[in-house]
Amino acid sequence: AEQTGSVLFFDEADRFFSDRGGASHSWEITQVNELLMRMEHFKGIFIAATNFNDNFDGAANRRFAMKLKFDFLDRNGISRMWSIAFPSYGECPESVLKMTSLAPGDFSAVRKGVEFALPETVTADRLADSLMKEVAMKKCGNDRKMGF
């Protein structure tokens, strides 16, 4: 990435920069140490994303110049995502607008799922039900934040 001027992006970065205090193997500590050292010397743009910021090693956290935290979608965000993901299904149903813990990825998952359905079986109510199921499958409370 440095040689080509590319952006270095680590998704699910908490897996690479786990808090060393909870390590059960020495190689886990060594891995984080090595990544921290390389991060210090990298001359370029380095971006990390995680949904589990609490698992992130404190030393790694301090090495990022900027940190962004994203909440789940609010009513406006839900309405906008509905219009992007399901433009031919009219206004976003009120039942969807009231949902909590909805993220853009939930809309993507539902859209991918209905690609396999017969078009005449896909309705706004079915999409709303599918979004409700996506939210129900999450293992988090409504207070959990996304992003880093």
Side-chain angles (χ1 to χ4, degrees):
E2 192 171 325
Q3 291 171 355
T4 62
S6 300
V7 172
L8 185 58
F9 177 70
F10 277 32
D11 196 11
E12 308 296 346
D14 55 284
R15 302 308 296 159
F16 298 103
F17 295 103
S18 295
D19 185 352
R20 291 169 287 179
S24 55
H25 304 285
S26 63
W27 63 265
E28 294 171 307
I29 296 169
T30 302
Q31 173 184 292
V32 173
N33 289 343
E34 180 69 20
L35 283 169
L36 291 174
M37 185 195 70
R38 290 185 180 264
M39 195 176 164
E40 284 282 319
H41 293 88
F42 179 68
K43 293 178 180 27
I45 297 174
F46 179 72
I47 300 172
T50 181
N51 289 334
F52 299 98
N53 196 36
D54 292 342
N55 298 346
F56 223 71
D57 188 85
N61 212 351
R62 289 189 297 274
R63 285 176 168 81
F64 287 96
M66 291 190 286
K67 299 163 190 76
L68 302 173
K69 187 176 263 189
F70 299 97
D71 287 331
F72 289 105
L73 296 169
D74 60 12
R75 286 178 66 91
N76 290 333
I78 292 169
S79 179
R80 177 100 170 104
M81 284 304 306
W82 179 275
S83 67
I84 291 168
F86 315 121
S88 58
Y89 292 94
E91 294 287 319
C92 183
E94 186 64 28
S95 62
V96 175
L97 291 171
K98 291 179 179 178
M99 290 183 196
T100 57
S101 304
L102 267 177
D106 299 320
F107 286 87
S108 178
V110 169
R111 189 172 68 195
K112 288 176 186 171
V114 298
E115 285 176 7
F116 300 104
L118 295 171
E120 61 271 13
T121 66
V122 180
T123 64
D125 287 339
R126 180 176 175 183
L127 296 170
D129 185 55
S130 295
L131 285 168
M132 182 75 72
K133 289 176 182 171
E134 286 295 319
V135 169
M137 289 191 320
K138 293 182 183 185
K139 296 179 181 177
C140 64
N142 291 342
D143 59 339
R144 186 172 143 219
K145 308 288 188 217
M146 300 183 308
F148 169 73

